[in-house]
Amino acid sequence: MIRAIAAAVGTLALSACSPGKAALPVGGTAPDFTTQASLAGKPFPFHLADALKKGPVVLYFYPAAFTSGCTVEAHDFAEASDQFHALGATVIGVSGDDIDKLNRFSVSECRNKFAVASADGKLISEYKVKLPVVARSNRTSYVIAPDGKVIFAYSALDPAGHVEKTMAAVKAWQAAHPAG
């Protein structure tokens, strides 16, 4: 009985993380929010609307700092952060972790390259990324255009592909909106 319950929970969690099941629809409006974030171990208030004034935002939700997949994903985004910046995009990771844990994560795993923010249950719910059964967010990446519209959404438990897919979406947006 316990094995059957564990298998069902695992199946639900994996199905919620499969590609193509991102909760916010492309073309929909991303909910605005303000929360505590950390960059290079220093906390600051993050407001999505302010970040969008600078260009597109890559907003990626991940389950928990210092877990294996989330660490891999943070390293991948850190390595690509200069490319995102050159395209005018802001990268911010979001999890349900507290700011003290994110201060450490932003230094060691994000390598001081991009900010990570703390999400409460309301924010996780608004972005429709809550994993079933457990109180954590799914691994879901969004690209949000400066007008607040979702232009890309991707959910997958595996961290591989999130950077490449969000980078491609930012490049496509940039090509359609040349500066000047």
Side-chain angles (χ1 to χ4, degrees):
M1 178 70 169
I2 292 173
R3 278 186 172 163
I5 292 171
V9 167
T11 300
L12 279 173
L14 287 174
S15 67
C17 296
S18 62
K21 295 205 180 206
L24 291 181
V26 170
T29 300
D32 189 27
F33 65 93
T34 300
T35 190
Q36 278 296 107
S38 181
L39 176 61
K42 295 179 175 71
F44 68 96
F46 175 84
H47 186 192
L48 178 62
D50 290 341
L52 290 171
K53 290 175 186 173
K54 302 171 189 168
V57 171
V58 175
L59 183 70
Y60 84 90
F61 287 85
Y62 60 96
F66 297 108
T67 57
S68 60
C70 299
T71 295
V72 166
E73 188 174 28
H75 291 176
D76 290 347
F77 272 107
E79 288 176 21
S81 64
D82 290 340
Q83 289 176 279
F84 281 112
H85 182 72
L87 293 168
T90 298
V91 173
I92 181 137
V94 183
S95 74
D97 295 308
D98 65 46
I99 198 65
D100 291 331
K101 189 173 188 180
L102 294 176
N103 285 336
R104 296 188 310 274
F105 192 68
S106 73
V107 172
S108 65
E109 307 311 327
C110 303
R111 301 175 178 159
N112 303 323
K113 294 283 196 168
F114 65 93
V116 284
S118 183
D120 59 13
K122 180 179 180 241
L123 181 60
I124 289 170
S125 177
E126 285 178 341
Y127 275 84
K128 302 181 188 311
V129 294
K130 184 185 178 305
L131 284 172
V133 184
V134 296
R136 292 187 180 192
S137 71
N138 187 355
R139 186 177 319 281
T140 299
S141 297
Y142 294 106
V143 178
I144 304 166
D147 66 0
K149 299 293 185 193
V150 175
I151 58 173
F152 178 80
Y154 176 70
S155 291
L157 187 58
D158 186 344
H162 284 264
V163 169
E164 293 82 5
K165 291 175 187 306
T166 55
M167 181 73 72
V170 170
K171 285 179 178 178
W173 182 87
Q174 188 70 22
H177 301 86

